[in-house]
Amino acid sequence: EMVTSAGTVRIELDDAKAPASVANFLAYAAKGHYSDTVFHRVIPNFMIQGGGFTATLDQKETRGTIKNEAGNGLKNERGTIAMARRGEPDSATAQFFINLTGNDFLDHQSDAPAGFGYAVFGHVTDGMEVVDKIAAATTTSVGPMTDVPAQPIVIKSATVLAP
């Protein structure tokens, strides 16, 4: 359960298809890493991204990178959560994004870096209206960062609920 300044979002994680991504996300949640981070990249009709920066856009320290599980058969469909990463396929750490629409171009196409894709590891089960509210935020540029909500949208907590 992710409690944000815009409302609460519940996410079901798929540890059968994305064990490394789920374990990684849960470890960061258990350590309180996501508390007081923001959705720092919000692009309507695409995705909302968070989990790596404070409200003052200071980057939080992370652990090492994880193996990209984009070839697990899960698709970047509306309401799915996936690991954000840099250009290198196995570069994900703490950041994640929630897809606002079907983003099949982010799905695994090949094992080449350009076609590897982004690993989906769960989906929103409740609170998609909160995700859409976040997506409607007015954005601005802050230094080199673009698509930053003008008013910070804070993740107050991310906690694991019993199944």
Side-chain angles (χ1 to χ4, degrees):
E1 180 176 79
M2 193 176 300
V3 178
T4 78
S5 57
T8 300
V9 178
R10 286 193 174 195
I11 300 163
E12 183 177 312
L13 305 177
D14 191 335
D15 60 345
K17 290 192 175 178
S21 299
V22 169
N24 179 66
F25 185 79
L26 291 176
Y28 278 110
K31 292 274 191 192
H33 175 89
Y34 295 120
S35 297
D36 299 320
T37 60
V38 295
F39 284 96
H40 66 277
R41 188 171 176 228
V42 171
I43 305 174
N45 300 311
F46 181 36
M47 59 89 216
I48 62 172
Q49 182 174 335
F53 293 88
T54 65
T56 54
L57 298 180
D58 292 316
Q59 190 162 11
K60 291 190 80 170
E61 191 172 321
T62 60
R63 299 187 327 262
T65 60
I66 62 168
K67 177 91 174 115
N68 189 327
E69 297 173 303
N72 63 15
L74 299 174
K75 304 294 183 192
N76 282 278
E77 299 169 338
R78 175 172 165 76
T80 57
I81 184 170
M83 292 305 302
R85 62 175 176 82
R86 296 203 162 121
E88 166 62 37
D90 296 331
S91 60
T93 56
Q95 292 184 39
F96 61 88
F97 61 93
I98 299 174
N99 287 291
L100 300 172
T101 189
N103 291 316
D104 60 356
F105 67 97
L106 298 178
D107 293 341
H108 180 75
Q109 308 293 330
S110 74
D111 288 341
F116 207 90
Y118 293 76
V120 171
F121 63 98
H123 66 278
V124 173
T125 58
D126 190 34
M128 199 59 198
E129 72 282 355
V130 174
V131 173
D132 289 335
K133 180 179 176 183
I134 294 168
T138 300
T139 59
T140 188
S141 294
V142 179
M145 297 177 74
T146 59
D147 307 307
V148 178
Q151 294 296 319
I153 301 168
V154 179
I155 298 172
K156 296 177 179 183
S157 65
T159 55
V160 180
L161 303 177

